[in-house]
Amino acid sequence: MKTLAQHTKDVPASRAFRPAVVFLPWVACVAVAFAVQLVAPALFDDYWVNVLRRVGVFVIAAVSLNIVNGITGQFSMGHAGFMAIGSYIGASTTYTGSLLLHGSVGDDSFAVQGTMLMLGGLVAGACAAAGAGYLVGLPSLRLRGDYLAIVTLGFGEIIRVLLELTSKQVDTADGARANPFAAFFSFNGPTGFFGTPAYASNFWIWLFVAITCVVAYRLKRSSSGRAFLSIREDEIAARAMGIDLTKYKVRAFVLAAAFGGVAGALFSHTGVNPSPTDAGFQRSFDIIIMVVLGGLGSISGSVLAAILLVLLPEMLRGLQEYRLVLYAVLLIVMMLVRPQGLFGVKEVWDLWGAKRKARGGTP
Amino acid sequence: MMQTATAPLPVPRSPLPAPLLAVTDLAVSYGAIRALHGISLTVNRGEIVTLIGGNGAGKTTTLRAISGLVKPAAGAIVYDGKSIAKQPPHEIVKLGLSHCPEGRGVFPQMSVAENLELGAYLRSDDAAIATDREKALDLFPRLRERLQQMAGTLSGGEQQMLAIARALLARPKLLLLDEPSLGLAPQIVQTIFRIIRDINEQGTTILLVEQNAHMALKVAHRAYVLEVGRIVMQGDAKELASSDEVRKAYLGAH
Ligand SMILES: Nc1ncnc2c1ncn2[C@@H]1O[C@H](COP(=O)(O)OP(=O)(O)OP(=O)(O)O)[C@@H](O)[C@H]1O
Ligand SMILES: [Mg+2]
């Protein structure tokens, strides 16, 4: 006999307001963040707790890139550019903000306010990256395939060069007060922006990991998400259905850029100094590999692939230099064994369900 | 009988009601290549009109221009009293003009149900969508059995059925069909054409592009023959089917 669930499965999802469905995921996000923050130090030493922060940043980066490259099928190669924008804007918000408000950077007595500054920096970084996404997206999304890839690649390189041209970092309160605007945009050229306090604890990072995943997953299942997926599947048919290509492509691009900006802004608060090379091709490529490996369109696939690709070089010492060789081998193996990536467009739990179905024999 | 001055004047009746679609001197170019050299055609409410012609004649291009997928270089397209030649496709779909593209264009990695949902993308009247969906599934019972199957794994015939059903979910007044018989076995072609007639009898006007002139002329009321971007013949479908030129060129008679 058919269960009720099977009967209702074919019916279009109801648009009724269900509080549990609306609020529970956000509660879960906070719970995940607390869990990682509290459990990690009990299980790992400081080094690995720190690695966990890096893992989180790349999970956000990969999941956000998946919105464009995976779900919408537009091959962007400039994600590191958006991350770098978020990185610098975020770092400078905290750094210059601390100088202006407190006179110095990284004092314990200013930690709470500093963390607030960081959160402001996250928002500012996300907005700046989203704005850049809009500017790049609007003209370049009229391009197809290879051309879009080349233009976005060029975008990352332009950001890198622009960052190299910035003037010396202002590191005194007086200097910052003399010209706050100039101080804010003094990103210290090729050397990289130093001295940003590491306020991004595992709590904050994993909070945003969880938020990014919930947003991306909901997006994929939403009506916009359907439009994104249809563009990826067949542009002409999508247009014939009445989907406004430019609007949805730009929407996907801007969203991905915004979350990429968040990833960057968090990264610059983990004790690493953002430098212009962060905007370049290598970093973009790192993230593309994660998305392709996890499966274009699979949110959970991106999460797992990002975790794997950050941890693997950490575990196998000395592999860091051979990263690109590792990628090449991974890609070749993948193309031979599983060309659609680990999970294709599906999620981990979909495969679980399919297996159960196959075994149980229900149609 | 004489009319008094105050009585309303009778509205003058035009001999024919205004056509649902009127295309006038439509020209389309792809870069330097001119695919359509100024064609004119009309589709009246309730009709099935077919556009036949060989490979590269410009049939697909005509449909694409009507649904806004390519921009016309010149000419007018008036649909339901509105000029749509410069409108983007998403505005045109909203007016109830639905295009079922050549080669089906189903979304392969989405289920049949999700494909149908995308057909109703611009609509928000959930209850009416559900009714239309049931109607479409009644026309194509094979789709009902496969709602959760990935569209890419359907057979060619089933994909064509899905493409038509999906186009119907936009609740079109005018349905553009581009070679629904392409690559299908004769039996399935029969089924598809029977359903095309059913759809028309339920009140949808249809502009049908076909290479299978035999079937198309059987099902259509009127027909146009397109050759390298120009309309060379037009008229009643039955009459065209029995004319020597059409029989020779498109029906394989000698
Ligand atoms: N995107 C395009 N770019 C350049 N030329 C095109 C394009 N699409 C069509 N053409 C050209 O326009 C002409 C008409 O093509 P169209 O696809 O409309 O023909 P058709 O009648 O639908 O043919 P078929 O029956 O083979 O589908 C052809 O010469 C074709 O090469
Ligand atoms: Mg064609």
Side-chain angles (χ1 to χ4, degrees):
Chain A
M1 223 182 85
K2 269 192 166 185
T3 62
L4 181 67
Q6 279 165 333
H7 276 295
T8 48
K9 215 174 169 188
D10 324 327
V11 177
S14 123
R15 292 173 199 184
F17 176 74
R18 281 170 297 170
V21 177
V22 174
F23 295 117
L24 257 184
W26 308 117
V27 178
C29 287
V30 179
V32 166
F34 268 117
V36 178
Q37 171 76 5
L38 297 177
V39 173
L43 296 178
F44 312 115
D45 60 17
D46 281 357
Y47 179 78
W48 286 99
V49 168
N50 207 24
V51 168
L52 210 52
R53 298 202 282 176
R54 196 180 153 82
V55 169
V57 166
F58 279 92
V59 169
I60 300 176
V63 169
S64 57
L65 183 63
N66 204 345
I67 296 173
V68 172
N69 287 31
I71 299 177
T72 318
Q74 305 301 304
F75 212 77
S76 162
M77 309 234 300
H79 207 52
F82 299 115
M83 280 179 78
I85 290 175
S87 245
Y88 274 88
I89 298 285
S92 190
T93 304
T94 304
Y95 189 92
T96 316
S98 297
L99 279 184
L100 290 172
L101 298 173
H102 188 65
S104 68
V105 182
D107 284 352
D108 283 346
S109 64
F110 193 66
V112 175
Q113 295 94 319
T115 305
M116 294 298 131
L117 277 177
M118 173 186 78
L119 294 178
L122 288 187
V123 175
C127 291
Y134 186 77
L135 288 181
V136 184
L138 204 53
S140 59
L141 289 173
R142 293 180 184 277
L143 306 172
R144 259 151 233 264
D146 313 349
Y147 296 104
L148 176 67
I150 290 167
V151 168
T152 47
L153 187 69
F155 162 76
E157 292 302 315
I158 289 171
I159 295 295
R160 184 177 64 78
V161 171
L162 287 179
L163 288 171
E164 277 175 0
L165 295 176
T166 53
S167 50
K168 200 175 166 312
Q169 190 169 350
V170 175
D171 53 5
T172 61
D174 289 342
R177 286 189 186 120
N179 190 347
F181 185 79
F184 186 87
F185 289 102
S186 300
F187 292 149
N188 216 22
T191 329
F193 194 86
F194 61 85
T196 313
Y199 291 137
S201 60
N202 267 314
F203 173 81
W204 291 115
I205 289 179
W206 286 87
L207 178 65
F208 282 99
V209 168
I211 290 175
T212 310
C213 291
V214 170
V215 170
Y217 183 68
R218 286 209 161 159
L219 189 70
K220 185 178 162 190
R221 304 290 302 262
S222 73
S223 130
S224 280
R226 286 280 150 73
F228 292 160
L229 281 164
S230 74
I231 292 172
R232 150 196 158 136
E233 302 275 279
D234 189 326
E235 283 200 5
I236 293 184
R239 287 178 72 202
M241 297 302 103
I243 286 159
D244 183 346
L245 279 198
T246 312
K247 176 172 126 189
Y248 284 102
K249 282 183 181 180
V250 169
R251 184 177 291 181
F253 217 67
V254 167
L255 270 168
F259 280 101
V262 170
L266 285 167
F267 200 36
S268 61
H269 290 83
T270 60
V272 299
N273 298 334
S275 77
T277 48
D278 290 352
F281 166 69
Q282 285 243 333
R283 174 62 57 76
S284 288
F285 198 68
D286 286 346
I287 305 160
I288 288 172
I289 296 290
M290 292 168 185
V291 174
V292 173
L293 180 67
L296 290 165
S298 172
I299 310 288
S300 44
S302 284
V303 174
L304 291 180
I307 295 175
L308 189 73
L309 285 179
V310 176
L311 288 186
L312 215 57
E314 290 289 342
M315 293 204 259
L316 309 169
R317 292 246 156 191
L319 207 64
Q320 203 53 259
E321 294 104 89
Y322 298 106
R323 197 166 87 254
L324 291 175
V325 180
L326 171 78
Y327 291 166
V329 172
L330 260 177
L331 279 183
I332 291 168
V333 170
M334 202 182 76
M335 289 306 155
L336 292 174
V337 181
R338 228 185 137 70
Q340 73 274 44
L342 290 177
F343 301 107
V345 71
K346 296 205 171 78
E347 301 298 339
V348 178
W349 43 91
D350 293 339
L351 297 186
W352 184 269
K355 236 181 223 161
R356 237 186 3 201
K357 226 189 239 174
R359 227 183 287 139
T362 33
Chain B
M1 210 177 99
M2 254 187 62
Q3 281 180 333
T4 59
T6 51
L9 287 169
V11 181
R13 278 182 157 250
S14 54
L16 283 169
L20 182 57
L21 177 77
V23 173
T24 322
D25 297 329
L26 175 68
V28 176
S29 298
Y30 296 106
I33 304 165
R34 179 140 285 203
L36 291 180
H37 303 269
I39 65 161
S40 299
L41 59 87
T42 58
V43 180
N44 297 313
R45 277 167 223 274
E47 271 187 322
I48 301 181
V49 171
T50 184
L51 186 61
I52 56 176
N55 286 114
K59 306 181 296 295
T60 298
T61 304
T62 307
L63 293 193
R64 286 192 172 165
I66 294 169
S67 64
L69 295 175
V70 298
K71 287 277 151 275
I77 305 171
V78 176
Y79 164 79
D80 208 7
K82 293 171 205 74
S83 170
I84 56 166
K86 293 195 171 61
Q87 298 276 330
H90 52 271
E91 297 295 339
I92 294 174
V93 175
K94 266 187 218 156
L95 300 173
L97 196 162
S98 182
H99 181 176
C100 180
E102 183 174 33
R104 294 145 206 161
V106 298
F107 304 117
Q109 298 209 51
M110 294 189 192
S111 68
V112 169
E114 288 167 335
N115 267 272
L116 291 176
E117 213 173 292
L118 274 158
Y121 194 75
L122 292 179
R123 298 172 59 187
S124 49
D125 44 343
D126 283 5
I129 293 173
T131 327
D132 287 350
R133 197 178 111 124
E134 287 312 303
K135 266 200 224 158
L137 291 174
D138 287 342
L139 283 173
F140 301 103
R142 290 171 75 155
L143 295 180
R144 193 190 291 283
E145 297 157 20
R146 294 172 168 76
L147 277 173
Q148 300 309 322
Q149 190 175 331
M150 288 295 127
T153 64
L154 295 174
S155 76
E158 289 159 359
Q159 290 192 13
Q160 186 60 60
M161 293 177 185
L162 176 57
I164 298 176
R166 189 182 59 180
L168 285 176
L169 272 160
R171 191 173 262 196
K173 280 188 267 194
L174 175 62
L175 176 62
L176 310 181
L177 292 174
D178 197 344
E179 293 208 40
S181 74
L182 189 74
L184 301 185
Q187 210 181 345
I188 298 286
V189 173
Q190 293 278 354
T191 313
I192 298 264
F193 274 89
R194 180 176 51 71
I195 293 168
I196 290 174
R197 184 173 285 156
D198 288 348
I199 293 168
N200 176 250
E201 276 164 9
Q202 288 172 20
T204 307
T205 308
I206 294 173
L207 176 56
L208 168 69
V209 154
E210 261 302 339
Q211 287 217 32
N212 186 339
H214 182 69
M215 290 300 291
L217 290 174
K218 236 194 224 167
V219 77
H221 302 106
R222 288 191 305 118
Y224 291 84
V225 180
L226 197 59
E227 259 172 32
V228 281
R230 288 192 174 83
I231 286 179
V232 292
M233 266 183 276
Q234 65 185 75
D236 182 86
K238 303 274 166 327
E239 282 168 22
L240 274 183
S242 55
S243 85
D244 282 347
E245 293 101 312
V246 171
R247 279 159 54 89
K248 246 190 222 142
Y250 299 103
L251 298 176
H254 300 287

